[in-house]
């Protein structure tokens, strides 16, 4: 499709501005003025709307396609929460409002939403206090590791390392490194969980924390988790819970009960807020009591008179993680979601998510290799190693799925599985959808035996087929300045 | 439950396939040892949409939104055209994930490429990424980028940089050995002498903001020239709408431009989600954080878009990545793109001029009030500071009762500015509202 | 295809020692594992390097691979041709696709490298 710049014609515009009702009193002095106009496109409103509607049709989304992208929890996003987040009494609120004198009185509803979501998340995770400031999962990780660093600094501990299993999300080591720690990577054992022996050997007084996803990216719940937590605490280190996979255990287990000291959650995963084609998300962080003094400011507190207010006066706080209180609209949607589902609904979420994953795994076991075939929870990892012997790789199967109207699983992750295809169906998919997925996967496995060469032509039904990644990286054409 | 489609029969059939004969779904959780089961899960029971809506509307009504606002501070009450909302409510956009599978995401990918292009056109820079969380984290990422590019660890930060961003910067870098120097603002603008005093061949970057937190505009070309002589980079944080008229970061010689994109069609929403943008010289592209979309061709030679230079990112480089960012603010970037397309080349000049003229009118109205002094030592964009006879907090409280959010008290962030207030005027404020504000302020001061 | 006259590291670099100087690059095995090379990040000429210390990066679309110095010394020259045409590494890893030329600080360090047959065995064992 043409770029919007190629549709631009001088003289067209899509917005009429309010009238100039004040005298034109000033001109920018030449030395402060830009030399050339910003070449934004000139397009009418219908032209803009048609362009973007056209682009939208080239996307797979949850409303249109099954999207079993592992570790991403692509569940249905309730329309109701979008409506709530669109209420003008929320969208038009200036974030500096509550920082004005008497301003908190003007934003009581919004502050209450933040406070209430924090309380609900505490109960869901077994933690004792939450900050809603982090604006995405990885941002939550960074916040969490910074809290851990502040805790150690306050205690006078000199710590150097964060321990992370090799199956962990790439954000884990990146977040630990950015917060100033070195990373020790721990191998997975033959059952797919962090190798206990290697963990014990790597854990010493230099360890600041252990960062774990539980269940991990293979969907496996670590049976040694309690022992790991005890050993970690004994070594003077803290336990960090990557909440990307919380959808597996709602109401069944809580990170706080398992011995974790810090957790981050991805509201855009477990709590059904839409992912927006890459964001915005929200990554609130919960902590146990010992870490509360270090949480970011401002904090939303409830005063003794029942009114909500902001608290900036926390001497041990790590400071400002976000300019304000986090991605408020996302927080609001997640809160509405919890209110709709309630206790029973949330438990059902995990039960159905786990049921769906196990069902798919059982039905696909004959056709694909499953390197760590343990009891899985909400997701599992297939390997296309059998197919790759015929020259059909995970990416080829992914492209075959696209032609059948199914968004592919996460491919080539986790790194510990060759030709990995990580499948997370989520709870919002029906048995018919799962059955169709199974049929398609079986069909593709058969095709890989019979006619492996044909995969290189997939996908055939999309606007483009296999864009040239090497050319993109070498040319680095990342913006259009013509037209 | 509305969102889980299974009937009891479906569930039993599926359990049978899995080999669970008891019919009890909980058996699927046997991998979690009994002693590790949740000790509590005490939440209210679920409710209907109608009931939840009634409750959340009751909370919404506790917020006052009928205020005429002159509060800015980097976050502005601009008008959002209806077509922006219409486009981003296409669920093909908002229910999609990060575009890892290019063939199933050409819509998102092309939109990001167009967004990157618009950011480059606006800032004059050569390359842009696909978005960061907000203006503050964008500035922090830019500082880290400069530290890695130069191999130096000293950062000079102008006092006119948004104080919220400066606090964020300190928070993020607590555990790293980075030397920060803050230089003051003198007569409204960056203090050249102070910057010169600290600028040396150990400096990684000088961080500037235009217009600065006090609304004053500047031309930082001379600072950039000195920085480059010493091998230091210049990071310029900008207010995107002001670039309809103001000198671009590129024209001033900046190496990295960042900013908060909220003014481009994104609602205030009590602090987020917003949009951090970042653009830079092309030579620095491999040090940029976050996703970048590139144009290429497919098998059949058709123009295609794809996530590129991913080896910079955490999912490949892990602890050696340029940043830990994964999810960004894609849907907000789409909002900004649609806004920029609607407003267009002429509109952005007009809106910038409109904001400036209205602010100028407000200055005139306010300085006519006895005891109010408008600071005119340097030109401003759509925001300016006034000096009052005393602490403005009481006045702000009084004006709120009259339905006016008068401005932001600078004493909150600047100890020596307790009598000052920061006032922002956007295209939404009418002549009448500005006059009403002046009248109310006069009343509050003198009657 | 492992040239007999070269020495090798466990990180799949090859090195050709020529008197007091040495030229090195990555092996055919390394380039094929990496795939199409899209970028090479060079060290500054004149900089000192330590044997087995990381000094450059070779990138493909799917990985970024650190390059380690086979010997200690000083960077004399880098292969400028790779800046525009990094794919030369794929086409000719042992000849045109060399990465750096260095002055050798300690000839004894050669003991820490593998000869062609040892490298071939190493490839078989680790493959």
């Amino acid at each position: 499709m043409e770029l919007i710049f190629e549709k631009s014609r001088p003289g067209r515009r899509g917005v009429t501005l309010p009238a100039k009702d004040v005298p034109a009193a000033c001109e920018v002095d030449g030395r402060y003025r830009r030399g050339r106009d910003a070449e934004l496109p000139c397009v009418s409103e219908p032209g803009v709307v048609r362009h973007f509607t056209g682009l939208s049709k080239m996307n797979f989304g949850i409303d249109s396609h099954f999207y079993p992208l592992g570790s991403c929890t692509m569940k249905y996003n309730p329309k109701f929460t979008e409506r709530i987040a669109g209420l003008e009494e929320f969208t038009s609120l200036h974030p500096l409002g509550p920082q004005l004198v008497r301003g908190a009185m003007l934003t009581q509803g919004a502050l209450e939403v933040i406070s209430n979501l924090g309380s609900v998340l505490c109960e869901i995770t077994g933690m004792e206090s939450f900050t809603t400031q982090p604006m995405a999962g990885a941002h939550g990780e960074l916040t969490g590791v910074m809290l851990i660093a502040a805790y150690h600094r306050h205690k006078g501990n000199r710590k150097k390392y964060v321990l992370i299993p090799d199956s962990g999300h790439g954000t884990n080591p990146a977040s630990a490194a950015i917060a100033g720690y070195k990373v020790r990577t721990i191998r997975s054992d033959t059952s797919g969980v962090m190798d206990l022996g290697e963990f014990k050997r790597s854990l010493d007084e230099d360890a600041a924390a252990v960062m774990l996803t539980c269940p991990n990216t293979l969907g496996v719940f670590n049976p040694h988790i309690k022992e790991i937590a005890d050993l970690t605490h004994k070594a003077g280190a803290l336990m960090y819970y990557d909440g990307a996979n919380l959808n597996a255990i709602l109401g069944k287990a809580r990170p706080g009960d398992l011995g974790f000291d810090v957790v981050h959650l991805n509201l855009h995963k477990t709590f059904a807020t839409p992912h927006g084609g890459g964001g915005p998300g929200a990554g609130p962080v919960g902590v146990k009591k010992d870490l509360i003094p270090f949480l970011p400011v401002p904090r939303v507190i409830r005063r003794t008179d029942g009114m909500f207010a902001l608290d900036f006066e926390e001497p041990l706080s790590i400071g400002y993680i976000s300019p304000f209180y986090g991605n408020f609209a996302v927080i609001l949607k997640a809160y509405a979601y919890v209110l709709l589902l309630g206790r029973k609904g949330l438990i059902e979420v995990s039960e159905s998510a786990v049921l769906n994953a196990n069902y798919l795994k059982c039905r696909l076991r004959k056709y694909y290799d499953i390197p760590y075939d343990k009891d899985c929870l909400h997701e599992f990892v297939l390997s296309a190693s059998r197919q790759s012997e015929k020259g059909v790789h995970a990416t080829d199967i992914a492209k075959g799925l696209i032609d059948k109207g199914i968004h592919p699983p996460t491919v080539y992750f986790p790194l510990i599985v060759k030709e990995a295809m990580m499948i997370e169906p989520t709870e919002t998919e029906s048995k018919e959808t799962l059955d169709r997925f199974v049929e398609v996967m079986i069909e593709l496995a058969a095709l890989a035996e019979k006619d492996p060469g044909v995969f290189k032509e997939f996908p055939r039904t999309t606007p483009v087929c296999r864009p040239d990644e090497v050319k993109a990286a070498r040319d680095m054409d990342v913006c259009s300045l013509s037209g | 439950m509305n969102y889980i489609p299974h009937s009891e029969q479906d569930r039993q059939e599926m359990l049978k396939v899995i080999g669970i004969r008891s019919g009890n779904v909980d058996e699927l959780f046997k991998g979690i040892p009994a002693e590790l089961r949740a000790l509590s899960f005490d939440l209210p029971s679920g409710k209907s949409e109608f009931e939840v809506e009634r409750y959340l509307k009751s909370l919404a009504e506790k917020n006052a939104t009928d205020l005429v606002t002159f509060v800015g501070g980097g976050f502005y009450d601009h008008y959002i055209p209806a077509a922006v909302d219409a486009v981003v409510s296409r669920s093909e956009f908002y229910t999609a994930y990060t575009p890892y599978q290019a063939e199933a995401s050409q819509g998102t990918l092309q939109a990001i490429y167009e967004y990157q292009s618009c950011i480059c056109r606006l800032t004059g820079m050569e390359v842009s990424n696909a978005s960061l969380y907000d203006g503050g984290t964008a500035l922090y990422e830019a500082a880290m980028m400069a530290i890695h590019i130069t191999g130096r660890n000293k950062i000079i930060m102008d006092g006119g940089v948004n104080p919220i961003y400066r606090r964020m910067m300190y928070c993020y870098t607590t555990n790293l050995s980075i030397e920060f120097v803050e230089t003051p603002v003198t007569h409204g603008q960056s203090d050249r002498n102070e910057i010169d005093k600290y600028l040396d061949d150990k400096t990684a970057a000088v961080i500037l903001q235009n217009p600065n937190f006090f609304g004053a505009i500047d031309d930082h070309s001379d600072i950039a020239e000195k920085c480059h002589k010493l091998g230091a980079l210049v990071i310029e944080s900008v207010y995107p709408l002001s670039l309809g008229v103001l000198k671009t970061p590129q024209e001033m010689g900046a190496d990295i431009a960042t900013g908060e994109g909220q003014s481009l069609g994104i609602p205030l929403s009590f602090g987020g989600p917003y949009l951090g943008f970042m653009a830079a010289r092309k030579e620095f592209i491999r040090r940029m954080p976050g996703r970048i979309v590139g144009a290429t061709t497919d098998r059949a030679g058709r123009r295609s878009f794809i996530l590129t230079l991913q080896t910079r990112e955490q999912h490949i480089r892990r602890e050696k990545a340029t940043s830990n960012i994964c999810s960004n603010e894609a849907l907000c970037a789409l909002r900004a793109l649609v806004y920029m397309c609607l407003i267009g080349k002429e509109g952005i000049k007009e809106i910038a001029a409109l904001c400036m003229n209205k602010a100028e009118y407000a200055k005139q109205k306010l300085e006519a009030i006895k005891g109010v002094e408008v600071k005119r030592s340097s030109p401003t964009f759509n925001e300016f500071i006034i000096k009052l006879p005393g602490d403005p907090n009481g006045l702000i409280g009084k004006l709120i009762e009259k339905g006016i959010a008068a401005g932001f008290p600078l004493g909150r962030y600047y100890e020596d500015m307790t009598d000052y207030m920061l006032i922002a005027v956007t295209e939404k404020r009418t002549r009448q509202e500005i006059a009403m504000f002046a009248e109310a302020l006069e009343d509050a001061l003198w009657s | 295809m492992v040239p007999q006259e070269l020495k090798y590291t466990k990180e799949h670099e090859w090195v050709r020692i020529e008197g007091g100087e040495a030229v090195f690059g990555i092996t055919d095995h390394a380039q094929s594992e990496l795939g199409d090379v899209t970028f090479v990040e060079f060290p500054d000429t004149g900089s000192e390097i330590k044997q087995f210390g990381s000094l450059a990066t070779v990138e493909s679309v799917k990985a970024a691979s650190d390059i380690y110095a086979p010997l200690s010394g000083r960077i004399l020259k880098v292969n400028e041709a790779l800046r525009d045409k990094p794919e030369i590494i794929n086409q000719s890893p042992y000849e045109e696709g060399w990465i750096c030329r260095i002055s050798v600080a300690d000839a004894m360090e050669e003991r820490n490298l593998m000869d062609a047959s040892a490298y071939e065995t190493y490839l078989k064992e680790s493959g």
Side-chain angles (χ1 to χ4, degrees), chain B residues 73-385:
Chain B
F75 310 90
Y76 303 97
D77 179 31
H78 289 290
Y79 183 73
I80 300 172
V84 173
D85 291 327
V87 167
V88 298
S89 60
R90 293 283 305 187
S91 70
E92 295 89 335
F93 282 127
Y94 82 78
T95 73
Y97 199 74
T98 301
Y100 290 127
Q101 291 289 343
E103 291 94 336
S105 326
Q106 282 298 297
T108 296
L109 287 162
Q110 182 172 332
I112 296 173
Y113 178 83
E114 291 178 354
Y115 159 83
Q116 291 171 181
S117 303
C118 280
I119 291 294
C120 289
R121 288 162 184 239
L122 202 56
T123 57
M125 305 303 287
E126 293 165 309
V127 295
S128 156
N129 72 6
S131 77
L132 297 164
Y133 308 131
D134 80 304
T137 50
L139 201 60
Y140 148 74
E141 293 277 14
M144 295 309 292
M145 213 173 132
I147 285 168
H148 289 133
I149 289 168
T150 59
R152 305 173 179 180
N153 70 345
K154 178 172 158 188
I155 300 275
I156 298 173
M157 216 166 11
D158 186 286
V161 172
N162 194 322
I164 295 174
Y165 294 173
R166 281 185 276 137
R167 291 191 181 200
M168 288 172 74
M169 188 77 78
Y170 293 132
C171 171
Y172 284 107
T173 53
T174 314
N175 304 321
L176 313 175
S177 43
I178 296 171
E179 183 193 341
F180 279 101
V181 179
E182 275 198 33
T183 54
V185 168
T186 308
H187 304 302
Q189 297 184 325
S190 307
D191 189 325
R192 270 66 176 175
N193 291 334
E194 284 292 312
I195 292 174
D196 278 354
K197 206 155 58 179
Y198 297 103
L199 184 62
D200 58 16
D201 61 5
K202 303 210 166 40
T203 308
V206 175
I207 301 182
L208 303 160
Q209 179 174 318
N210 194 49
N212 69 16
F213 188 66
F214 309 112
I217 55 183
D218 202 339
D219 171 15
H220 293 132
S221 308
D222 56 327
I223 301 175
E225 210 174 297
K226 281 183 189 150
C227 285
H228 293 152
K229 274 191 192 138
L230 289 162
L233 303 188
V234 173
I235 299 168
E236 189 83 51
S237 176
V238 289
Y239 175 10
L241 267 194
S242 75
L243 293 176
V245 290
L246 296 188
K247 198 168 240 184
T248 65
Q250 181 268 332
E251 287 170 319
M252 290 195 232
D255 300 281
I256 308 170
T258 66
E260 172 51 66
Q262 179 270 326
S263 60
L264 304 171
I266 298 166
L268 284 163
S269 275
F270 206 51
Y274 289 163
L275 167 67
F277 63 85
M278 176 188 273
R281 292 186 193 278
K282 192 163 192 175
E283 60 187 291
F284 300 140
I285 193 168
R286 284 198 153 76
R287 295 288 183 184
M288 268 187 138
R291 313 221 187 271
I292 296 173
V293 171
T296 182
T297 49
D298 78 345
R299 285 279 170 74
R302 292 170 293 201
R303 176 158 67 192
S304 324
F305 300 92
I306 194 162
L307 291 174
T308 193
L309 303 177
Q310 294 190 69
T311 45
R312 296 166 298 113
E313 294 187 61
Q314 46 75 30
H315 59 284
I316 292 180
R317 242 333 143 67
R318 298 178 76 87
E319 65 266 32
K320 290 181 185 166
T322 51
S323 163
N324 71 332
I325 191 168
C326 182
S327 285
N328 53 28
E329 309 292 302
L331 202 67
C332 298
L334 179 64
R335 273 187 167 274
L337 169 63
V338 177
Y339 182 88
M340 288 188 276
C341 292
L342 287 167
I343 197 146
K345 177 180 171 177
E346 296 305 319
I348 194 152
K349 285 191 282 186
E350 290 169 21
I351 195 164
L354 198 53
C355 290
M356 245 181 110
N357 281 313
K358 289 191 179 222
E360 192 56 36
Y361 181 71
K363 279 185 185 176
Q364 289 167 12
K365 282 299 206 188
L366 295 175
E367 70 191 347
I369 302 169
K370 193 175 85 179
V372 175
E373 189 190 336
V374 171
K375 288 290 168 189
R376 284 189 178 274
S377 52
S378 52
T380 57
F381 179 59
N382 74 330
E383 209 163 9
F384 58 91
I385 57 176

Side-chain angles (χ1 to χ4, degrees), chain A residues 371-394:
Chain A
Y372 299 95
D373 197 0
K374 295 265 295 176
D375 292 329
C376 77
L377 286 171
H378 68 302
E379 68 186 359
F380 62 100
V381 180
L382 295 181
S383 167
S385 49
R386 205 187 304 172
Q387 290 72 26
S388 71
E389 281 165 24
K390 303 269 176 188
V392 177
H393 298 277

Side-chain angles (χ1 to χ4, degrees), chain A residues 180-450:
Chain A
Y181 285 115
K182 295 225 177 337
V183 173
R184 274 188 191 163
T185 306
I186 315 289
R187 263 183 315 112
S188 299
D189 68 14
T190 50
S191 68
V193 298
M194 183 168 76
D195 188 277
L196 198 58
E198 192 179 324
F199 166 70
K200 287 178 183 166
R201 284 190 295 280
S202 305
L203 182 70
D204 57 26
E205 68 278 14
D206 286 339
V210 182
M211 274 181 111
L212 290 174
T213 313
C214 186
N216 68 7
T217 52
L218 298 167
V220 178
F221 190 92
N222 192 322
H224 317 297
I225 194 73
K226 193 75 194 159
E227 187 181 351
I228 292 169
D230 290 344
L231 288 168
T232 301
H233 289 144
K234 222 183 202 168
L238 297 175
M239 291 284 287
Y240 183 97
Y241 183 87
D242 175 338
N245 294 344
L246 187 77
N247 210 48
I249 57 169
L250 292 168
K252 301 293 177 186
R254 304 190 307 169
D257 302 339
L258 300 175
F260 286 94
D261 304 288
V262 183
V263 317
H264 89 262
L265 304 180
N266 302 72
L267 297 186
H268 48 288
K269 293 180 180 176
T270 314
F271 297 90
T273 71
H275 197 59
V285 168
V287 295
K288 289 276 179 63
K289 204 166 90 222
D290 288 352
L291 287 126
I292 292 176
F294 309 103
L295 286 173
V297 286
R299 294 186 203 163
V300 177
I301 53 163
R302 185 165 211 167
R303 298 191 321 216
T304 45
D305 63 359
M307 302 304 287
F308 294 90
L310 295 178
D311 173 16
F312 286 86
E313 309 305 322
E314 294 290 341
L316 295 177
S317 166
I318 57 169
Y320 286 43
I321 277 292
S322 173
F324 300 103
Y325 329 106
N327 281 345
F328 177 76
V330 180
I331 292 164
L332 177 57
K333 288 179 206 183
Y335 182 48
Y337 178 75
V338 172
L339 292 177
L340 286 172
L341 270 72
R343 177 181 187 276
K344 199 161 152 275
L346 289 173
I347 295 172
E348 249 180 82
V349 160
S350 285
E351 288 181 342
S352 295
V354 172
L355 176 66
N356 286 359
N358 277 280
Y359 178 72
L360 286 183
K361 191 171 99 168
C362 287
R363 292 211 51 199
L364 291 170
R365 187 177 277 137
K366 263 201 293 189
Y367 308 93
Y368 292 88
D369 292 339
I370 305 183
Y372 299 95
D373 197 0
K374 295 265 295 176
D375 292 329
C376 77
L377 286 171
H378 68 302
E379 68 186 359
F380 62 100
V381 180
L382 295 181
S383 167
S385 49
R386 205 187 304 172
Q387 290 72 26
S388 71
E389 281 165 24
K390 303 269 176 188
V392 177
H393 298 277
T395 196
D396 300 317
I397 291 166
K399 303 304 179 194
L401 282 167
I402 291 175
D403 270 344
K404 301 288 182 181
I406 295 170
H407 193 283
T410 299
V411 290
Y412 302 110
F413 188 86
L415 308 174
I416 57 173
V417 175
K418 272 195 179 164
E419 297 288 341
M421 294 185 286
M422 182 167 44
I423 298 169
E424 180 181 12
T426 83
E427 73 280 5
T428 56
E429 298 301 331
S430 67
K431 181 166 176 296
E432 299 90 276
T433 304
L434 303 179
D435 285 337
R436 164 132 200 290
F437 175 67
V438 169
E439 279 161 29
V440 170
M441 287 294 283
I442 293 172
E443 206 178 295
L444 292 173
L447 193 61
E449 290 290 321
K450 210 171 66 203

